[in-house]
Structures are given as C-alpha cells and as structure tokens.
C-alpha cells in the first residue's frame, strides 16, 4: 500500500485530506498533460521527506508521497512540484546519489499519483478522495495506540507559517516543554510542515494524541510518536 511517510499512515478527516484540498485549490493540476509529478526509484530505505527536499534543493515541492508495502518503505516515492518547468529541472537529477545510492527520476502519469493517494487514504474514486470506511480509520487509530511512546510527538501537515507559540497553543492543556518545540525547515529556510514537540512524560505525549487530526488554521495536523534521537537530529534544521 502507499503511505505519506515511512512507518506512518494517513487517512482523511472532515471534508477530506490535505492532498484533496490541494487538488481542489489548484484546478490546473487536473488539466491533461500538465500535472507536475515525477516518480523516484532506488531511494535509501531510511529515506524521509527531508531527504527528498534536500535532493531537490532549489525546487518548490508541493507534496511528497513515500510508497510503502506491507508497512515498509519500498524505496519509491512520488514528488509533486509547483509547475511543469520544475519537473524538467527535477528530471536532470536522474541518477544522482542520495547517500550511497543513485536515484532514478522519471516521468509518470497523474493517474499513478492519484492511485497512490487513493490507496493511501482509502478513496473510492480518482478525483473525489474521501475518508476511508470507519472500520479502517479505527484500525489505523488502534495501530498508533499500539506504538511505543516516548516524551516526543512528531507533527506533520502544519501550515508553513506555523510558529512555536501556535504549536504551544495547539497543545493547550497538555504539559509541553516550551524550550523543546522545534519547527523543521529546509536548507533554504522554508518550513517543511513538520515539527517535534516534547512533553514532560511519555504518558503526557500519549494523552496529547487526542489532538491528532485537529486543525491549525486551514490544515489538519497529523501526530506520530517518535524518539528523542529523531527530534535531536532535527534541531539543526529548526526555526530559531
């Protein structure tokens, strides 16, 4: 199946997913032959969204969809850019290395990307991506509940303008360590839409998962348990 992140699973909420809203707010993406997407193959198996942002430094990425099979990252991904000209530049990075592996970058059809999103979110049709059946959504929630919790949660899907005070306000009522909130940025200083938040205890972090799928501004936010080590690695890339 397909997932938006290695080890993480994502499903629609409310009127639809972030990707559904992106498609609806960018009708030109639906025009035949203009969908600015490429497919990557041969990615390292520890690849994360940030690695793809770094690989395409200088280009404006709208969405990254990492492909998983049986819960494990497959080494493939879809990357949507802001326009067709950026796709042409991205294709020039074919066979360049990420770590010790060279990465294939090639054209693909918008149908391939939509099918991947549909598989990820349990959609019933190509363009009207809907939330999955309640049983499936509940199953995914239970899977998160079974994960091992530390004091740290990872946030994904934040508005690019989100800052630390907004994140602390989002977790109002939960014991956040204010000095341990990190909004992750790309090398060019632009936000990635991710952040790490540390709580006083692992149990408090588990309690804060009640905020999963709730909104900051116009976007709903996904929460995932993660480790202190991953949060520490993100610190050098964090907004000051």
């Amino acid at each position: 199946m397909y997932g938006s992140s290695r080890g993480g699973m994502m499903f629609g909420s409310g009127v639809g997913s972030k990707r559904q809203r992106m498609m609806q707010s960018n009708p030109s993406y639906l025009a035949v032959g203009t969908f600015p997407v490429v497919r990557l193959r041969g990615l390292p198996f520890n690849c994360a969204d940030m690695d793809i942002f770094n690989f395409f430094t200088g280009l404006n990425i709208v969405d990254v969809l990492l492909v998983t099979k049986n819960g494990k990252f497959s080494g493939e991904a879809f990357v949507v850019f802001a326009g067709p000209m950026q796709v042409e530049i991205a294709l020039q990075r074919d066979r360049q290395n990420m770590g010790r592996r060279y990465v294939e970058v090639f054209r693909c059809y918008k149908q391939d990307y939509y099918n991947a999103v549909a598989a990820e979110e349990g959609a019933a049709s190509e363009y009207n991506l809907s939330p999955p059946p309640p049983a499936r959504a509940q199953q995914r929630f239970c899977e998160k509940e079974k994960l091992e919790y530390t004091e740290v949660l990872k946030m994904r899907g934040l508005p690019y303008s989100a800052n630390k005070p907004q994140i602390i306000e989002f977790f109002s009522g939960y014991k956040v360590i204010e000095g341990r909130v990190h909004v992750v940025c790309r090398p060019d200083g632009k936000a990635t839409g991710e952040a790490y938040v540390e709580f006083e205890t692992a149990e408090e972090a588990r309690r804060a998962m009640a905020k999963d799928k709730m909104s900051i501004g116009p976007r709903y936010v996904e929460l995932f348990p993660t480790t202190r080590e991953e949060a520490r690695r993100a610190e050098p890339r964090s907004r000051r």
Side-chain angles (χ1 to χ4, degrees):
M1 69 179 296
Y2 296 86
S4 63
S5 115
R6 184 169 55 88
M9 304 179 81
M10 174 176 165
F11 53 92
S13 176
V15 296
S17 72
K18 293 189 287 295
R19 291 189 178 100
Q20 180 183 4
R21 291 197 292 272
M22 179 269 287
M23 293 173 194
Q24 290 173 340
S25 64
N26 293 274
S28 62
Y29 284 173
L30 302 181
V32 174
T34 63
F35 193 89
V37 62
V38 300
R39 190 167 187 168
L40 308 184
R41 186 161 52 207
L43 293 163
F45 288 105
N46 62 349
C47 178
D49 291 6
M50 177 58 66
D51 298 309
I52 293 177
F53 277 109
N54 291 339
F55 185 76
F56 289 117
T57 296
L59 299 181
N60 189 358
I61 294 175
V62 174
D63 188 33
V64 173
L65 181 68
L66 301 184
V67 180
T68 64
K69 294 181 180 179
N70 299 320
K72 296 182 179 180
F73 179 51
S74 68
E76 296 190 7
F78 293 88
V79 182
V80 181
F81 295 94
M85 287 301 297
Q86 299 214 11
V87 168
E88 299 304 318
I89 299 172
L91 291 170
Q92 296 174 19
R93 303 191 188 181
D94 182 39
R95 305 281 174 165
Q96 291 187 12
N97 278 41
M98 182 183 292
R100 296 182 178 180
R101 304 188 64 169
Y102 74 83
V103 178
E104 294 179 81
V105 183
F106 54 97
R107 298 181 190 275
C108 66
Y109 296 104
K110 65 182 179 184
Q111 179 72 49
D112 298 330
Y113 171 77
Y114 285 151
N115 287 346
V117 175
E120 176 195 346
E121 300 191 0
S125 66
E126 178 183 359
Y127 299 113
N128 183 22
L129 302 181
S130 56
R136 185 173 179 182
Q138 183 62 35
Q139 178 184 0
R140 290 184 177 180
F141 177 78
C142 290
E143 287 172 355
K144 282 188 178 181
E145 282 292 294
K146 293 176 183 176
L147 294 175
E148 183 176 349
Y149 280 77
T150 68
E151 295 88 349
V152 185
L153 293 182
K154 181 177 183 178
M155 306 180 76
R156 183 181 294 124
L158 289 164
Y160 294 128
S161 60
N163 55 35
K164 291 182 182 181
Q166 287 175 311
I167 291 172
I168 293 169
E169 176 63 25
F170 179 75
F171 286 113
S172 177
Y174 299 94
K175 298 175 182 178
V176 173
I177 300 175
E178 295 189 9
R180 307 301 304 173
V181 176
H182 302 293
V183 181
V184 182
C185 295
R186 290 159 35 185
D188 61 6
K190 295 180 180 178
T192 65
E194 296 185 350
Y196 293 86
V197 181
E198 187 168 331
F199 297 82
E200 290 188 2
T201 65
E203 184 55 37
E204 192 69 6
R206 182 186 290 273
R207 236 180 31 94
M209 282 293 292
K211 301 288 289 187
D212 190 30
K213 304 295 180 183
M214 293 190 180
S215 295
I216 292 182
R219 305 188 67 173
Y220 78 84
V221 178
E222 288 188 281
L223 303 179
F224 299 91
T226 187
T227 64
R228 282 184 171 180
E229 290 73 20
E230 183 176 347
R232 298 294 185 269
R233 288 197 297 269
E235 283 186 34
R237 307 192 306 267
S238 298
R239 183 181 293 162
R240 303 300 178 185

